[in-house]
Amino acid sequence: MSQTIEQIARALDAQAEGDLSITVTGAAEPAAAGPEQIALAMNEKYAEGLRAGGARAALLWEGADWRAYGLEAAIFVTRPRLAMAGLSKAFDPGIEIASGIHESCVVDPSAEIGAGASIGPFTVIGRGVRIGPNARIASQVTIAEETRIGADALIHSGVRIGARVVIGDRFICQPGAVIGADGFSFVTPETSGVEEIRSTLGQREEIREQHWVRIHSLGTVEIGDDVEIGANACIDRGTVRATTIGSGSKLDNQVQIGHNVQVGEDCLLCGQVGVAGSTKIGDRVVLAGQCGVSDNIIVGDDVIAAGGTDIYTNVPKGRTVWGSPAVKMETQLEINKSLRRLPRLFGQFAELRETVTKLKQKGSTE
Amino acid sequence: MSQTIEQIARALDAQAEGDLSITVTGAAEPAAAGPEQIALAMNEKYAEGLRAGGARAALLWEGADWRAYGLEAAIFVTRPRLAMAGLSKAFDPGIEIASGIHESCVVDPSAEIGAGASIGPFTVIGRGVRIGPNARIASQVTIAEETRIGADALIHSGVRIGARVVIGDRFICQPGAVIGADGFSFVTPETSGVEEIRSTLGQREEIREQHWVRIHSLGTVEIGDDVEIGANACIDRGTVRATTIGSGSKLDNQVQIGHNVQVGEDCLLCGQVGVAGSTKIGDRVVLAGQCGVSDNIIVGDDVIAAGGTDIYTNVPKGRTVWGSPAVKMETQLEINKSLRRLPRLFGQFAELRETVTKLKQKGSTE
Amino acid sequence: MSQTIEQIARALDAQAEGDLSITVTGAAEPAAAGPEQIALAMNEKYAEGLRAGGARAALLWEGADWRAYGLEAAIFVTRPRLAMAGLSKAFDPGIEIASGIHESCVVDPSAEIGAGASIGPFTVIGRGVRIGPNARIASQVTIAEETRIGADALIHSGVRIGARVVIGDRFICQPGAVIGADGFSFVTPETSGVEEIRSTLGQREEIREQHWVRIHSLGTVEIGDDVEIGANACIDRGTVRATTIGSGSKLDNQVQIGHNVQVGEDCLLCGQVGVAGSTKIGDRVVLAGQCGVSDNIIVGDDVIAAGGTDIYTNVPKGRTVWGSPAVKMETQLEINKSLRRLPRLFGQFAELRETVTKLKQKGSTE
């Protein structure tokens, strides 16, 4: 994985100065970097670290005087995180899976696995599965019958993909994710308490026995291209139609997507987000960590929700929301400010009422 | 899996009209249904979809004029979701596990596995395990020593069931669930900060070192009949007695049940719900997604909690709650309304105080 | 596992009375205990249970009249939960893993596994892995290349440990945990909506296309000594440096730790807690269930957060917080009280304003 500064600069489409033939084998924070590593100092706050470290070359903020830090070469970046994307890709060693299919795997003879596959030990691939070229599938993965996965998949260990799931190209799936478990869908023979309070907003006539009858999940899961799914995340299959995840969307660890949910394209769903059944999430939606979204609602395109937001009702497209229940972010900021002042308000109100009572008494005795 | 309309109608105990000999092999949404599928149009809003689709037969809302939609047969349902339960069961192909025990499995010779079992590759079954008849256990499952599971179990891939767990009949467990991990129970030799603030509600005398000593989990987990556990859900074992899940209860994906918790019968715990140690949940309790329940409290029978509710204290039976902290749903609705008006109230209050001050001044100068 | 009352008393460093030669094989709650079990009755509320049960010996609260309960021996404890730690350790049978490395395992020839190891079926250990002595590793575990684990590790089934992770001694890891998955880190070529609203607190100029470019995780995970990780918990690797978990810290089930996070020593992170990327958690921090912590902030030493707390900004050391957003616990208690009175306040305010308006009218007509 060794690269010259010139190669890196070209990969990042960035300007470089100094000895571009210097070779590095990795990247490190400025103070920790040795001569074999390129120091990551894309912000002036790292100047001190640069002086402390032992790197010969660095990624620097624009206009940095690289010679002053004892460097022999420098690459200048304008958008540091984008540069990190390019640099980290260049130096990522990837996971080690021996090429070919490990002899311990149980692969159904009817499965079609594209050229260039590497599949680790104890992976189980079911009847009629079709996987595109260059798949890297780690150990102890399960892919059930008739599932189709596109080209260049990277599937980490312990992933479970159920039957008849359809997944696009360049799929990345972190360990322990479960795609295509049955939806959580039950019904009581008579109207249940939940149905009742949904229509009455909290009032219940009487409380009666309720046993749950299972609605089976006949649908599947359909995932577009360039999707990444986090560790131990879950995407349930649909009841009749498919649960869908649009191309370019990224789901973080422990995200939970209920049955029939439609997630649009280029969304970011951060750690521990939960989306309940049959809800539609638009394109380019960003839900920060631990957001919850109720069932059967619509979250419009380009909505952004702050961490911990609970979305109970439709959100119009383009809105930035926060809170429980979710309101416009600026409204929540106002509410939060008010809440901190609220206990004092009660005291002030009591005082004012006292004053008014006295004024009234005075008025009536005049 | 092909069925006649007559067979389906009989299974759903529903009225049918038209050519009841028509055969279908699956179900689909009205617009997507072909001639081999029964269209699911239990509500008038699907009328247009029916016209667009190519189904010969449909599940229809009561009183629908099926001939007008070009159908040749129709089944009429009064409770659509209940019909879905029956229909989806009829058409669910189930998961494919070859019958018998896969040759790669590691099954302790002392384990007793009932007749009619299908067990997938790489599953590990420990000493003294007893499993009832007709078990379907997928690949890469672990069932540890002395655990007992009833009849007709369906256990998906990657499930981990610890030692000495007891589970009833008709158990369904989705991929990656962990039943019987150790409880999260630690103690400090001296009173810890947590104990202190619990008794003082937030005040702490001094802050001192604290190292955590582990309380081991000697208890187990006991699960009744007809229980379903979601993907990547966790149920910890008890400290001395068992953590229990009552018959008929259903736990969704990523639900977390702490040590010693007792969940009653016929409960629904939706996605990402967490219940802390030693809490008792009554019968027929419904906790919507992401609810959290504190340790050592009691949630009464028939309680329903809206999504994201945080329950910190006992909830009387039959109550419907919402919010953080949980209050009666109608109270939370009032609070939410008030919160939205709150920032304005501060302005109005300042104005009123101004007015009163002027009145006072006027009064005193008269 | 049979022990005399004398042995138990010595292990607990506690006083004992009666026939100290009585032998027990386990512990049980008072009412359920038989003659082979020591009854756990460390509090007077168990007195009745003691009378109902059949134990010959008990752990009792200080000053209890053990003979009155028909016991033949008693151990007196001053700090019950600490006694439970000692007692439960003494009686924990542990998990059963045959000693040696199961023949089905796939262990890279370059891996070094210390003396006294027990490794269950289908476990996969990668190139250059080094594991200390006395490791107990259950079935179907994955440990990837170059990872190092100290002495006396206990790793349950289905755990996934990624490449180049470093873990100290006495590590305990519950089933299904994922350590060292890739961080959730993406960037758009142009400024994204998220970056925009972070700087403007909710205002967005225009909404544009955004595609996510992946930042690869070159860093790793470093875990100290005496750490325990819960079932299905996730700890992501760092981007350049390591994500770190300090010695003595315990993470419960389904906890999510983002990339670059630093968790200090002796922390307790309870079930379903989530900590977003690059945040620093101090020493002895306790986060109760479902707490969420935003990215890039600092939570000081000895902070305690109540269940469900959302921490969006730095918290000074020693503070006890609650709520969303997190405030001092006493402030939240005040806010909660105010909230319950809030709907009434609006009515009272309207009344007062009415009164003042009348006073004003009266004043102006006088």
Side-chain angles (χ1 to χ4, degrees), chain B residues 125 131 160 162 174 177 184 193 198 221 223 244 256 262 305:
Chain B
I125 296 181
I131 298 175
R160 317 292 166 192
Q174 300 293 335
F184 191 71
R198 283 213 169 197
V221 178
I223 294 178
T244 59
Q256 150 67 3
Q262 297 169 260

Side-chain angles (χ1 to χ4, degrees), chain B residues 296-356:
Chain B
N296 287 287
I297 62 171
I298 296 173
V299 175
D301 294 343
D302 300 294
V303 164
I304 297 177
T309 292
D310 291 321
I311 299 177
Y312 297 99
T313 54
N314 293 350
V315 182
K317 68 177 184 173
R319 185 162 289 182
T320 300
V321 294
W322 187 21
S324 176
V327 293
K328 280 187 197 172
M329 181 169 277
E330 55 260 40
T331 307
Q332 188 62 41
L333 283 165
E334 287 271 305
I335 289 173
N336 291 349
K337 210 188 333 175
S338 304
L339 277 175
R340 282 192 300 272
R341 296 165 56 197
L342 185 58
R344 213 171 47 202
L345 180 66
F346 279 92
Q348 293 170 335
F349 180 78
E351 244 174 62
L352 185 65
R353 192 153 58 171
E354 182 85 353
T355 306
V356 172

Side-chain angles (χ1 to χ4, degrees), chain B residues 48 131 208 271:
Chain B
E48 209 165 320
I131 298 175
R208 52 182 104 67

Side-chain angles (χ1 to χ4, degrees), chain A residues 183-188 212-215, chain B residues 81 228 250-251 268:
Chain A
F184 191 71
S185 188
F186 297 91
V187 59
T188 51
W212 301 103
V213 182
R214 188 173 203 267
I215 297 179
Chain B
R81 278 175 60 82
E228 178 159 353
K250 319 293 183 184
L251 278 60
L268 282 193

Side-chain angles (χ1 to χ4, degrees), chain A residues 139-220:
Chain A
S139 56
Q140 300 168 340
V141 170
T142 314
I143 302 176
E145 58 271 14
E146 295 181 23
T147 281
R148 301 204 312 264
I149 302 175
D152 303 312
L154 170 57
I155 300 177
H156 286 264
S157 59
V159 167
R160 317 292 165 192
I161 304 180
R164 295 174 295 283
V165 170
V166 178
I167 301 175
D169 294 336
R170 293 170 301 280
F171 180 58
I172 298 179
C173 193
Q174 301 293 334
V178 176
I179 298 171
D182 291 330
F184 191 71
S185 188
F186 297 91
V187 59
T188 51
E190 302 294 316
T191 307
S192 72
V194 177
E195 291 170 90
E196 209 174 313
I197 65 134
R198 285 214 168 194
S199 59
T200 64
L201 292 176
Q203 304 299 327
R204 294 173 69 185
E205 290 258 315
E206 61 168 325
I207 288 166
R208 54 180 103 68
E209 292 287 298
Q210 53 191 12
H211 293 292
W212 301 103
V213 182
R214 188 173 203 267
I215 297 179
H216 291 245
S217 297
L218 305 180
T220 178

